[in-house]
Amino acid sequence: MRRRPAQRLEGPLVAVLEKRGRFLVGEPLFGQGPRAAVDRGGADEGDLVLIGAGKRGARVIRRLGRPDVARDVLEALMLDRGLYRSYTRAAAAEAEAAIDASATTHARVDLTGLPTFTIDPDDAQDFDDAVSARREDGFTRVWVHIADVTAYLRPGGPLEREASRRSTSVYVPGAVEPMLPEALSNRACSLRPGEEKLTVTVEMEVHGSEARNVSFHRSRVRSDRRLTYREVDDVFAGRARAEEPWAAPLEAAREVARALTRKRDSVEIGSPEPTFEFDSEGHVVGVRHEAQTESHRLIEQLMILANEEVAGYLADRRLPTLYRVHERPEPTAVTFLVEQLASLDISTPPVPRHMTPQQAADLVAEISRIVAREARGGHAVGILVLRALKQAFYSPRNLGHAGLGSPRYCHFTSPIRRYPDVVAHRALLQGLGLDNAALPARELDEVGVLASAAERAAMQIERAADDVCLSFLLERRLAESDPESPPVFSGEVTGLIEKGAFVRFGEEGFEGLLPARRLRGWWELNELNTALVAEGSGRELRLGERVEVTVDRVEPARGRVDLGPAGSYS
């Protein structure tokens, strides 16, 4: 019998070193790539490493840590998914040089005397946006200040090539792959408190929820305070007191955001984002889920308004740029959504007999508000609503943003972490006669495709990283429990496939797959994908249903959890 030839190592591979006879072999951590005998290069058995092809076979390029340490596995995940984890020397050098050169490059409106604040998560480092607001006679004047990345990022050099290739920052728990070098993202561009920074400002007179007399400036600002969402929520709830000089501007901005929230006809579906806690050794020790609160909505609404005003300016003048496009849903998809919700006994608005795409968009928005208000079906129903929508993307054609109910929308307010925002900045500044670095229209299609693909890839990495952290935390919780009495968890069915049910369980929001083969009898997925149905009895396991499960197996590095049934399904 002929032996199968060994697979060649084509590129860098994340692996764990294991002993095989006299050799150390790289066992792929994520189940991809060949096993390979490795020149250890200073690493030891059991180490997590990055290996590559050498002249005499595979060799260790870099030791990453240990496969039982969450922070090391997250680093490995980013490398496995193609992130570089460092900037080229040429790009980093250009960033450092640009910091000194940018100070005298452009004339600016001095807004450093305005009371100004930022609101961000506790662990944020790159502050893209700051806000100023002041009540005036019959309206509120609002300034949205955005980091002027284009003052440092100029076309044609290695820094530009690297930023456009990355296209987006990728955030995983405890780490980030930045679009820009940290010298820019966390230092020069970041609107840190007490430091004078270069910005592009959108100045608006806001009458109720309507922006009038909008103007744009290349500006200088100085943030008075770096606020967190929790601090602002404490102020709004009366648990803390706002200080001058940012107390009055914060209250004025709050009133504007409330008016915008009442007016906006947008889809209201979202789930709390997990924030993980690590110990000094890199192990996950806790998680909290941050729901969208009034402080989040304040910043969100003001940034949306600024994005709309920039998009409107560019569209009116037919200046080439990238729009953030979210096409209206297909009527057939919305009809199917209504049928799914009906099968789950969730009431929905009447469906027009001959539904147009606009009616479909309006119907989804209304359904999302009903679901959010009544909290029916939990996490699972929110997923169904999202699946009825099309995916947002970047395009030089303005097709509107159905999810926000906005006819003209672009991304402008996060240029530190998104390349399409840089494109919008350049288009705006060129339109104002303040710069000449805008991308030509012929290049925008390709840039939009690449940016959309990079965004999707980043989302997949971030979700995988969350799964890894949750799995490590679950493993820790199980190790703390009584091995003679495995814990039983209460959970919610959040997704269904032919092979079984995805279940979200525990206060921490763990997730795993409950295989259909572990349930009594033969189960099949119904036509609406809303229930597994037992053959013969007709018994159903439906989306949103509460179930009790046990944990059969956890593979933390792969973010995989296998469940077993408990209670009535065991």
Side-chain angles (χ1 to χ4, degrees):
M1 182 175 179
R2 297 182 61 185
R3 294 181 63 184
R4 183 178 299 175
Q7 291 178 275
R8 287 182 55 83
L9 185 63
E10 300 294 338
L13 176 70
V14 171
V16 178
L17 295 184
E18 296 183 359
K19 193 82 170 179
R20 293 286 189 273
R22 295 183 297 110
F23 300 99
L24 274 182
V25 173
E27 182 72 28
L29 179 66
F30 300 108
Q32 302 168 4
R35 294 188 181 96
V38 177
D39 177 359
R40 70 172 64 202
D44 294 319
E45 181 182 359
D47 281 348
L48 179 58
V49 296
L50 182 68
I51 61 176
K55 292 182 179 179
R56 298 181 179 179
R59 63 183 180 87
V60 172
I61 299 173
R62 177 182 162 195
R63 181 183 180 276
L64 304 176
R66 303 291 292 183
D68 58 348
V69 177
R71 187 164 283 160
D72 297 342
V73 173
L74 293 176
E75 183 71 18
L77 174 68
M78 289 189 283
L79 288 166
D80 180 73
R81 297 297 180 90
L83 303 186
Y84 284 78
R85 306 303 293 131
S86 64
Y87 253 81
T88 63
R89 290 182 180 180
E94 183 183 341
E96 293 286 354
I99 294 173
D100 296 328
S102 64
T104 57
T105 304
H106 307 288
R108 294 184 180 273
V109 176
D110 188 351
L111 299 178
T112 55
L114 280 176
T116 301
F117 56 87
T118 62
I119 307 177
D120 290 280
D122 292 355
D123 57 353
Q125 298 292 326
D126 49 355
F127 309 133
D128 289 277
D129 55 87
V131 173
S132 304
R134 181 173 67 210
R135 292 190 185 91
E136 298 190 5
D137 188 16
F139 62 90
T140 301
R141 188 175 300 276
V142 176
W143 296 263
V144 174
H145 314 287
I146 306 300
D148 188 1
V149 169
T150 64
Y152 307 92
L153 181 62
R154 307 304 297 172
L159 180 59
E160 168 75 13
R161 289 194 294 273
E162 186 81 357
S164 62
R165 180 187 62 78
R166 296 178 180 225
S167 194
T168 184
S169 295
V170 183
Y171 297 89
V172 305
V176 61
E177 171 88 347
M179 185 184 79
L180 300 173
E182 286 191 9
L184 296 179
S185 61
N186 288 4
R187 287 165 34 206
C189 295
S190 186
L191 307 184
R192 302 191 297 187
E195 299 179 8
E196 189 171 302
K197 296 293 183 178
L198 308 183
T199 49
V200 178
T201 295
V202 182
E203 181 178 348
M204 302 167 280
E205 294 179 6
V206 184
H207 299 252
S209 60
E210 180 185 354
R212 303 177 190 172
N213 299 323
V214 179
S215 56
F216 309 95
H217 318 294
R218 226 170 187 165
S219 53
R220 296 178 185 271
V221 303
R222 183 185 296 108
S223 173
D224 295 288
R225 179 68 187 274
R226 178 253 202 265
L227 297 168
T228 67
Y229 290 123
R230 284 195 285 183
E231 287 177 321
V232 174
D233 284 326
D234 284 344
V235 170
F236 290 166
R239 294 187 296 267
R241 184 176 180 179
E243 301 172 359
E244 297 301 338
W246 51 269
L250 177 63
E251 186 58 32
R254 182 188 192 187
E255 290 179 3
V256 170
R258 282 179 163 179
L260 292 169
T261 301
R262 288 192 295 269
K263 174 192 174 184
R264 189 167 299 284
D265 188 22
S266 59
V267 175
E268 296 181 13
I269 290 294
S271 58
E273 296 290 332
T275 300
F276 295 92
E277 300 169 10
F278 295 83
D279 64 15
S280 59
E281 297 179 348
H283 299 291
V284 182
V285 295
V287 62
R288 66 179 187 274
H289 294 267
E290 295 190 0
Q292 288 284 313
T293 63
E294 187 178 2
S295 63
H296 293 81
R297 291 191 293 272
L298 184 153
I299 290 299
E300 179 183 58
Q301 291 297 336
L302 294 183
M303 296 308 115
I304 290 173
L305 182 62
N307 287 336
E308 288 177 326
E309 292 304 323
V310 171
Y313 176 91
L314 297 174
D316 288 342
R317 290 156 183 79
R318 298 185 178 181
L319 297 170
T321 193
L322 284 179
Y323 293 93
R324 180 63 169 177
V325 170
H326 190 196
E327 294 180 285
R328 293 171 295 190
E330 294 290 345
T332 52
V334 178
T335 300
F336 185 66
L337 169 64
V338 171
E339 292 174 356
Q340 288 179 307
L341 297 179
S343 75
L344 298 172
D345 303 321
I346 296 174
S347 60
T348 58
V351 179
R353 185 172 182 182
H354 300 290
M355 196 180 342
T356 66
Q358 184 56 54
Q359 287 174 319
D362 294 341
L363 186 57
V364 170
E366 189 174 353
I367 289 171
S368 74
R369 288 190 290 274
I370 292 172
V371 169
R373 184 171 62 248
E374 298 181 2
R376 294 288 306 278
H379 189 69
V381 173
I383 294 174
L384 287 183
V385 175
L386 289 176
R387 285 178 177 168
L389 302 174
K390 293 185 177 180
Q391 194 166 34
F393 61 97
Y394 295 105
S395 171
R397 286 163 288 283
N398 177 31
L399 304 175
H401 196 296
L404 295 172
S406 179
R408 304 187 294 189
Y409 194 71
C410 70
H411 274 167
F412 175 81
T413 54
S414 293
I416 291 176
R417 61 183 181 89
R418 290 188 306 226
Y419 190 73
D421 300 56
V422 175
V423 173
H425 274 244
R426 288 173 171 168
L428 173 66
L429 294 172
Q430 186 157 311
L432 295 170
L434 300 176
D435 207 342
N436 61 353
L439 283 175
R442 65 179 180 276
E443 296 182 13
L444 290 175
D445 270 311
E446 182 179 2
V447 172
V449 169
L450 293 175
S452 300
E455 177 190 46
R456 290 191 292 272
M459 290 174 61
Q460 291 172 355
I461 294 170
E462 290 166 2
R463 288 171 182 165
D466 287 346
D467 289 342
V468 166
C469 288
L470 284 169
S471 297
F472 269 108
L473 184 59
L474 175 59
E475 186 179 59
R476 185 184 187 93
R477 294 287 184 264
L478 293 174
E480 295 169 350
S481 64
D482 182 358
E484 299 298 324
S485 180
V488 174
F489 296 94
S490 176
E492 175 200 351
V493 177
T494 58
L496 294 166
I497 57 176
E498 288 285 354
K499 292 183 178 180
F502 292 100
V503 179
R504 183 183 178 97
F505 61 96
E507 294 181 359
E508 295 89 345
F510 302 126
E511 292 184 300
L513 177 66
L514 174 61
R517 58 181 169 75
R518 293 296 312 277
L519 305 175
R520 286 196 307 252
W522 181 265
W523 297 72
E524 292 185 340
L525 188 63
N526 68 359
E527 292 183 356
L528 294 173
N529 299 331
T530 56
L532 286 171
V533 182
E535 188 179 71
S537 69
R539 190 181 180 195
E540 293 185 338
L541 178 61
R542 304 201 303 176
L543 282 174
E545 185 173 336
R546 303 298 301 182
V547 295
E548 290 186 331
V549 295
T550 58
V551 177
D552 283 352
R553 183 175 61 166
V554 183
E555 294 184 66
R558 299 182 183 181
R560 176 174 174 173
V561 178
D562 292 336
L563 303 175
S568 61
Y569 287 97
S570 59

